[in-house]
Amino acid sequence: MAAQQRTEGSALILPTEFPQLKNDTFLRAAQGKETEYTPVWCMRQAGRYLPEFRETRATQDFFATCRSPEKCCELTLQPLRRFPFDAAIIFSDILVVPQALGMEVVMIPGKGPSFPEPLKEVEDLLKLRQKVDVATELGYVFQAITLTRHKLEGKVPLIGFSGAPWTLMSYMIEGGGSKTMAKAKAWLYRHPEASHRLLTLLTNVIVDYLVGQVAAGAQALQLFESHAGHLGPEQFAEFCLPFIRSIAKQVKNKLREESLPVVPMIVFAKDAHYALEDLAESGYEVVGLDWTIRPQDARRRMGKGITLQGNLDPCALYASKEKIEELVKKMLEGFGSQHYIANLGHGLYPDMSPEHVGAFVDAVHKHSRHFNKSC
Ligand code: 1CP
């Protein structure tokens, strides 16, 4: 799948002979192994809160940036130059998958993503590509991953990602962000069978897309079910969980079949506090948590066999550095320093101070080392 790749003006970049990994703390924690300290990264760590990100992004359309492996690589590496994060996440967006299915998506500055022709009727499903060759449609993401793996020089592991089926379906029907998701939820009530068909189509593309990312060099995968909170427990059980489960199972099977590394997988279903027990048994090594869940409760409900990731309220980064340190210490005490990856409960916002992000990372490293010594 990941054939030879030529990137603009640079030498041939192959997904082979990657530099040796120097810091495997994140991967060890994701695999449930002991770590010397708690690894940390932030969702949206490559983002507008960094002046260098704004500069790189300034003159170019968002999806043109996503299609440039060099730009994606540069944006992925920028936060690593500032902070001792224990993982990198490839710069891209979840909405490249609806594009691969044939839908137009544009990013309107200051507003967000917009689909000029969202799905309105069940018949619109026929307009979607029923089979997607991910190497053709999304090869630019694979190239970005391969290039970044080389340019990371083994500093930390690289995470690949995809949106989960329900979250992608909701954008494809709403045509952009939405407060209520009323149009997408109307499909679940009015057209359950067509909803299943769409979710299955998305599942198939996502599986190939994630396997392709590993072939290209991704060392872990995260699935973002960012809109889980719009559903209740019953709809989650019908329209999210089976597809989330199927993705983990199919990805792992295909990785084995293709003799690729069976990398750890993370599921982040935002606001799905009603489904923690199910998520713990959905086939993922790591479950990401938003900030509405108490660390102790999550541990109690999800058992010891699972690695947890999260979950500081992103808005806590508006507090003083002293307060951030105090909150991180409390979070670490709640989760324990093992089988745990520190992160925020959702992505960083554009107006956050890079210095406070640094304070968050430093506090995790400092207190988890202390914590380990005192245990
Ligand atoms: O011009 C810009 O820079 C726009 C801001 C931006 C950025 C930095 C968007 C638009 N996407 C991204 C990058 C991005 N998106 C990453 C990069 C890697 C990193 O984390 O550093 C990732 C992982 C995503 C994933 C993504 N895109 C999600 C899932 C995570 C989440 O936030 O829940 C979602 C829901 C999107 C859709 C999206 N893309 C962009 C915006 C503003 C949105 C949200 C739109 C909305 O629902 O209102």
Side-chain angles (χ1 to χ4, degrees), residues 41-48 53 57 62 79 89-95 107 109 111-113 161 163 167 171 176-178 181 224-227 268 270 346-347:
W41 67 283
C42 287
M43 289 189 272
R44 290 282 167 98
Q45 64 191 31
R48 279 179 295 171
F53 177 97
R57 281 272 303 105
F62 180 80
I89 180 162
I90 191 66
F91 177 83
S92 187
D93 197 81
I94 60 167
L95 299 175
M107 194 61 74
K111 184 170 169 265
F161 69 89
T167 297
Y171 278 112
S178 157
M181 299 288 155
F224 286 96
E225 190 70 285
S226 304
H227 296 173
F268 173 65
K270 187 171 178 292
H346 201 195

Side-chain angles (χ1 to χ4, degrees), residues 163-170 199 202-203 206 223 225 243-244 247:
W166 155 246
T167 297
L168 294 180
M169 170 179 169
S170 67
L199 292 164
L202 282 161
T203 298
I206 292 165
L223 191 70
E225 190 70 285
F243 302 96
I244 287 175
I247 288 169

Side-chain angles (χ1 to χ4, degrees), residues 178-285:
S178 157
K179 280 211 171 84
T180 60
M181 299 288 155
K183 292 190 188 111
K185 288 182 73 180
W187 269 55
L188 304 182
Y189 286 105
R190 278 195 207 140
H191 315 301
E193 191 270 334
S195 298
H196 274 268
R197 254 190 293 142
L198 175 54
L199 292 164
T200 304
L201 177 62
L202 282 161
T203 298
N204 294 339
V205 182
I206 292 165
V207 168
D208 288 348
Y209 181 42
L210 291 174
V211 172
Q213 292 188 40
V214 175
Q219 292 153 293
L221 296 168
Q222 176 153 322
L223 191 70
F224 286 96
E225 190 70 285
S226 304
H227 296 173
H230 289 276
L231 305 181
E234 274 161 34
Q235 283 191 318
F236 184 86
E238 179 173 357
F239 298 107
C240 289
L241 193 60
F243 302 96
I244 287 175
R245 277 203 182 115
S246 168
I247 288 169
K249 197 168 167 205
Q250 288 194 63
V251 166
K252 281 165 205 256
N253 284 344
K254 288 203 178 192
L255 291 176
R256 275 186 211 104
E257 273 163 34
E258 295 181 27
S259 303
L260 289 165
V262 184
V263 302
M265 295 179 73
I266 308 165
V267 60
F268 173 65
K270 187 171 178 292
D271 295 321
H273 39 80
Y274 50 77
L276 293 188
E277 291 82 358
D278 291 328
L279 288 165
E281 289 175 0
S282 60
Y284 294 74
E285 286 71 19

Side-chain angles (χ1 to χ4, degrees), residues 2-239:
Q4 291 192 338
Q5 300 166 347
R6 193 179 289 281
T7 58
E8 287 163 33
S10 65
L12 208 56
I13 301 285
L14 295 171
T16 54
E17 293 178 42
F18 288 126
Q20 201 185 343
L21 185 59
K22 294 171 194 145
N23 175 357
D24 67 350
T25 314
F26 163 83
L27 286 184
R28 290 182 62 82
Q31 290 157 344
K33 295 180 185 156
E34 265 196 30
T35 57
E36 206 184 308
Y37 63 91
T38 299
V40 54
W41 67 283
C42 287
M43 289 189 272
R44 290 282 167 98
Q45 64 191 31
R48 279 179 295 171
Y49 73 103
L50 290 178
E52 57 271 33
F53 177 97
R54 296 196 294 269
E55 203 171 299
T56 309
R57 281 272 303 105
T59 53
Q60 209 178 21
D61 164 69
F62 180 80
F63 287 110
T65 304
C66 290
R67 288 197 180 86
S68 160
E70 285 76 14
K71 287 268 164 70
C72 291
C73 174
E74 167 59 20
L75 292 171
T76 303
L77 296 179
Q78 282 176 352
L80 275 294
R81 293 189 193 115
R82 276 190 189 244
F83 313 111
F85 283 128
D86 295 287
I89 180 162
I90 191 66
F91 177 83
S92 187
D93 197 81
I94 60 167
L95 299 175
V96 298
V97 167
Q99 288 177 334
L101 281 159
M103 293 188 82
E104 191 189 342
V105 191
V106 290
M107 194 61 74
I108 301 175
K111 184 170 169 265
S114 171
F115 292 61
E117 289 181 59
L119 301 176
K120 289 204 175 88
E121 321 290 338
V122 167
E123 292 71 44
D124 291 345
L125 290 182
L126 296 171
K127 295 184 194 159
L128 299 175
R129 280 192 189 104
Q130 300 301 306
K131 252 200 153 342
V132 175
D133 178 3
V134 291
T136 307
E137 301 301 327
L138 294 162
Y140 61 88
V141 180
F142 302 158
Q143 287 178 26
I145 288 174
T146 303
L147 180 64
T148 307
R149 251 312 276 284
H150 283 288
K151 292 267 170 87
L152 263 170
E153 294 174 343
K155 199 170 175 185
V156 291
L158 179 61
I159 306 170
F161 69 89
S162 173
W166 155 246
T167 297
L168 294 180
M169 170 179 169
S170 67
Y171 278 112
M172 289 160 77
I173 294 171
E174 295 290 339
S178 157
K179 280 211 171 84
T180 60
M181 299 288 155
K183 292 190 188 111
K185 288 182 73 180
W187 269 55
L188 304 182
Y189 286 105
R190 278 195 207 140
H191 315 301
E193 191 270 334
S195 298
H196 274 268
R197 254 190 293 142
L198 175 54
L199 292 164
T200 304
L201 177 62
L202 282 161
T203 298
N204 294 339
V205 182
I206 292 165
V207 168
D208 288 348
Y209 181 42
L210 291 174
V211 172
Q213 292 188 40
V214 175
Q219 292 153 293
L221 296 168
Q222 176 153 322
L223 191 70
F224 286 96
E225 190 70 285
S226 304
H227 296 173
H230 289 276
L231 305 181
E234 274 161 34
Q235 283 191 318
F236 184 86
E238 179 173 357
F239 298 107

